[in-house]
């Protein structure tokens, strides 16, 4: 890491920390005003934002970026309008309770849980411009400052969003615009610098490919920085012997509407008793989405995440399984643990699948594409956390970004 990159990241962190009290002390109305102003400015600045995004796309194409990655980098008119709509929904969402009564103690005292902002939260994420707005808005709603670092391909779009949407909207709400910082460096070393500042940025949200995100999480641990990591993905669908053929067709097609996302269908496990019967239906659904099946014998790990393979992302791994036990064992032990669904008309079998699967999201006759903060809870997410320990798990939203403080007060106070 060069000294210049590290210095730039530290300057961003210090600026965010200095401005953070402005956000922590802001009223609910001020925060929601700022979020509403972001939505308005998203539309009034649309030409400028789309211009910056076109420049990013032109450079990315010249650099040979794959079609799937280009799709993630692209801001279309519809996507821009959708970003504005999500900001309005977030502005209207209820604020986190900042003080929650717990119990009464001896001596006429009472126990209260206070929920305080972390202070400054970092975020390192891939070249997806919408994530800049998603994360920044969640941090603002939770009263946390932020230091954002995005992939070099999206830096131009992200900077334009900060300059013309996020920062002016914060000012409109009476909040110091410096509370949200964007690292203006394209070097990958900036990510390592971001996870090395425990006194300034004690928590960093990590999104991206599995290997790079895991490496950053390991680096963060050596500095005493906590992380919420979204390293791996890939949805699993188990087709039970009691599955309805039309439901299976809809689930397969509906889970592959976008290929470069983590919650798409990645692994299809089909009960051997119905494999021959249902394969024509499943094959037709895959063809409908221009997706090819990877059939046994596989030359890759069964849980290989196709969304991260820019050359072969239009692929789904297919395997026969003898029963529910084998399907769940594969889902638990050989995939990321992001999400798994079952297609079945048998309620007892579905319940057994729910009880046995240990991952973040579990679905019955529903696509794993629903594992998304906006689709499940009506607000954007900062990422999907797959940790198997206590703490925020699944789609992480503004309601998760706080630290607890226990307060003991006299009764009646």
């Amino acid at each position: 890491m060069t000294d210049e990159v590290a210095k730039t990241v530290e300057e961003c962190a210090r600026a965010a920390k200095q401005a953070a009290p402005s956000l922590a002390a802001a009223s609910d109305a001020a925060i929601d005003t700022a979020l509403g102003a972001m939505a308005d400015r998203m539309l009034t600045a649309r030409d400028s934002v789309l211009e910056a995004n076109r420049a990013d796309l032109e450079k990315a194409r010249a650099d040979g970026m794959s079609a799937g990655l280009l799709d993630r980098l692209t801001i279309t008119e519809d996507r821009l309008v959708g970003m504005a709509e999500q900001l309005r929904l977030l502005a209207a969402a209820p604020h986190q309770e900042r003080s929650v009564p717990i119990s009464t103690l001896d001596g006429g005292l009472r126990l209260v849980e206070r929920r305080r902002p972390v202070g400054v939260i970092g975020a390192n994420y891939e070249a997806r411009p919408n994530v800049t707005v998603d994360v920044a808005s969640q941090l603002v709603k939770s009263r946390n400052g932020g230091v954002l670092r995005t992939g070099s391909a999206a830096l131009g779009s992200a900077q334009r969003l900060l300059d013309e949407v996020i920062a002016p909207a914060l000012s409109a709400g009476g909040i110091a615009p410096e509370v949200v910082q964007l690292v203006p460096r394209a070097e990958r070393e900036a990510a390592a610098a971001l996870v090395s500042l425990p006194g300034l940025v004690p928590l960093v949200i990590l999104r991206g490919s599995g290997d790079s995100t895991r490496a950053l999480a390991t680096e963060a641990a050596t500095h005493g920085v906590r992380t919420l990591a979204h390293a791996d993905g890939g949805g699993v669908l188990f087709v039970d012997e009691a599955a309805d053929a039309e439901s299976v067709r809809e689930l397969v097609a509906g889970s592959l509407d976008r290929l470069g996302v983590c919650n798409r269908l990645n692994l299809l496990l089909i009960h051997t008793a119905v494999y021959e019967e249902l394969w024509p239906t499943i094959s037709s659904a895959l063809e409908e989405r221009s997706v090819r099946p990877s059939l046994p014998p596989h030359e890759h790990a069964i849980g290989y995440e196709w969304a991260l393979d820019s050359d072969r992302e239009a692929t789904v791994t297919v395997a026969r399984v003898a029963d529910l036990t084998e399907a769940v064992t594969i889902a638990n032990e050989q995939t990321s643990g992001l999400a798994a669904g079952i297609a079945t008309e048998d309620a007892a079998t579905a319940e057994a699948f729910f009880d046995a699967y240990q991952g973040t999201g579990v679905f019955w006759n529903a696509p794993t594409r629903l594992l998304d903060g906006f689709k499940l809870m009506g607000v954007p997410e900062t990422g999907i956390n797959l940790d198997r320990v206590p703490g925020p798990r699944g789609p992480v939203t503004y309601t998760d970004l706080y630290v607890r403080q226990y307060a003991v007060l006299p009764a009646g106070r």
Side-chain angles (χ1 to χ4, degrees):
M1 183 192 315
T2 66
D3 290 342
E4 187 178 350
V5 171
K7 181 181 178 182
T8 299
V9 175
E10 184 173 348
E11 287 173 349
C12 289
R14 291 194 182 281
K17 184 171 183 178
Q18 185 175 357
S22 168
L23 180 57
S27 67
D28 292 356
I31 287 173
D32 293 340
T33 294
L35 293 170
M38 285 185 203
D40 293 340
R41 293 193 65 86
M42 184 71 69
L43 299 179
T44 58
R46 79 170 72 197
D47 290 343
S48 179
V49 170
L50 292 174
E51 177 189 35
N53 186 243
R54 282 193 294 269
D56 281 344
L57 287 167
E58 184 177 345
K59 183 179 184 302
R61 289 191 187 97
D63 291 341
M65 180 177 281
S66 70
L69 294 177
L70 284 169
D71 176 64
R72 279 174 269 187
L73 178 60
T74 302
I75 303 176
T76 65
E77 286 272 1
D78 287 345
R79 289 178 185 179
L80 187 144
V81 171
M83 291 159 69
E85 291 174 351
Q86 290 189 28
L87 284 166
R88 289 200 175 91
L89 288 170
L90 181 60
H95 284 260
Q96 175 79 285
E97 291 290 338
R98 303 176 76 176
S99 183
V100 180
I102 301 298
S103 65
T104 300
L105 305 178
D106 293 339
L109 302 173
R110 64 189 185 93
L111 175 63
V112 172
E113 177 189 305
R114 292 170 57 83
R115 297 172 178 175
R116 304 178 60 91
V118 174
V120 176
I121 297 176
N124 184 74
Y125 49 97
E126 65 275 30
R128 295 176 65 175
N130 65 294
V131 176
T132 297
V133 176
D134 288 352
V135 173
S137 63
Q138 295 293 302
L139 296 183
V140 170
K141 188 79 172 187
S142 62
R143 293 184 168 82
N144 287 291
V147 181
L148 314 183
R149 187 267 166 187
T150 187
S152 59
L155 188 55
S157 300
Q159 190 67 59
R160 192 68 55 88
L161 286 166
L162 180 69
D163 293 344
E164 300 201 18
V165 176
I166 298 168
L170 288 169
S171 295
I175 299 164
E178 297 81 8
V179 76
V180 176
Q181 295 283 319
L182 176 69
V183 177
R185 303 293 301 233
E187 296 91 339
R188 292 187 178 185
E189 291 87 351
L194 183 59
V195 300
S196 66
L197 301 169
L200 298 173
V201 188
L203 174 66
V204 179
I205 297 161
L206 301 176
R207 294 179 57 160
S209 66
D211 291 342
S212 64
T213 296
R214 280 188 290 273
L216 281 174
T218 300
E219 176 72 12
T222 68
H223 296 284
V225 172
R226 299 293 297 274
T227 58
L228 289 173
H230 182 168
D232 300 287
V236 181
L237 176 63
F238 167 51
V239 179
D240 177 53
E241 59 183 330
D244 173 74
E246 181 57 24
S247 294
V248 171
R249 190 199 66 77
E250 292 177 359
L251 285 172
V252 171
S255 298
L256 295 168
D257 59 326
R258 290 189 68 186
L259 301 179
V261 291
C262 68
N263 54 17
R264 54 158 280 189
L265 176 60
N266 191 70
L267 172 61
L268 184 59
L269 303 174
I270 307 173
H271 198 297
T272 190
V274 292
Y275 185 95
E276 300 297 340
E277 175 188 347
L278 292 182
W279 180 246
T281 298
I282 293 170
S283 179
S284 173
L286 293 175
E287 289 179 9
E288 177 185 331
R289 293 298 190 187
S290 299
V291 171
R292 76 171 188 90
S294 173
L295 301 169
H298 304 110
E299 297 179 352
H300 53 80
I302 196 168
Y304 180 80
E305 188 179 355
W306 296 106
L308 300 179
D309 190 328
S310 59
D311 295 323
R312 300 183 295 169
E313 68 178 3
T315 307
V316 166
T317 301
V318 178
R320 297 177 186 240
V321 290
D323 52 27
L324 181 147
T325 299
E326 183 181 2
V328 170
T329 299
I330 291 172
N332 282 336
E333 298 180 3
Q334 299 185 56
T335 77
S336 69
L338 177 80
I342 181 172
T344 186
E345 299 303 307
D346 187 282
T349 301
E351 184 174 354
F353 186 84
F354 273 48
D355 288 343
Y357 180 60
Q358 301 166 2
T360 300
V362 63
F363 299 83
W364 176 14
N365 289 350
T368 57
R369 286 280 283 121
L370 292 174
L371 190 68
D372 170 89
F374 183 70
K375 291 178 180 177
L376 290 183
M377 292 167 278
V379 295
E381 65 187 34
T382 64
I384 300 177
N385 185 40
L386 305 187
D387 289 348
R388 300 192 181 191
V389 295
R393 191 179 189 219
V396 176
T397 72
Y398 71 95
T399 60
D400 302 304
L401 301 177
Y402 69 91
V403 291
R404 289 187 294 183
Q405 178 185 61
Y406 289 104
V408 177
L409 299 79
R413 297 292 181 91

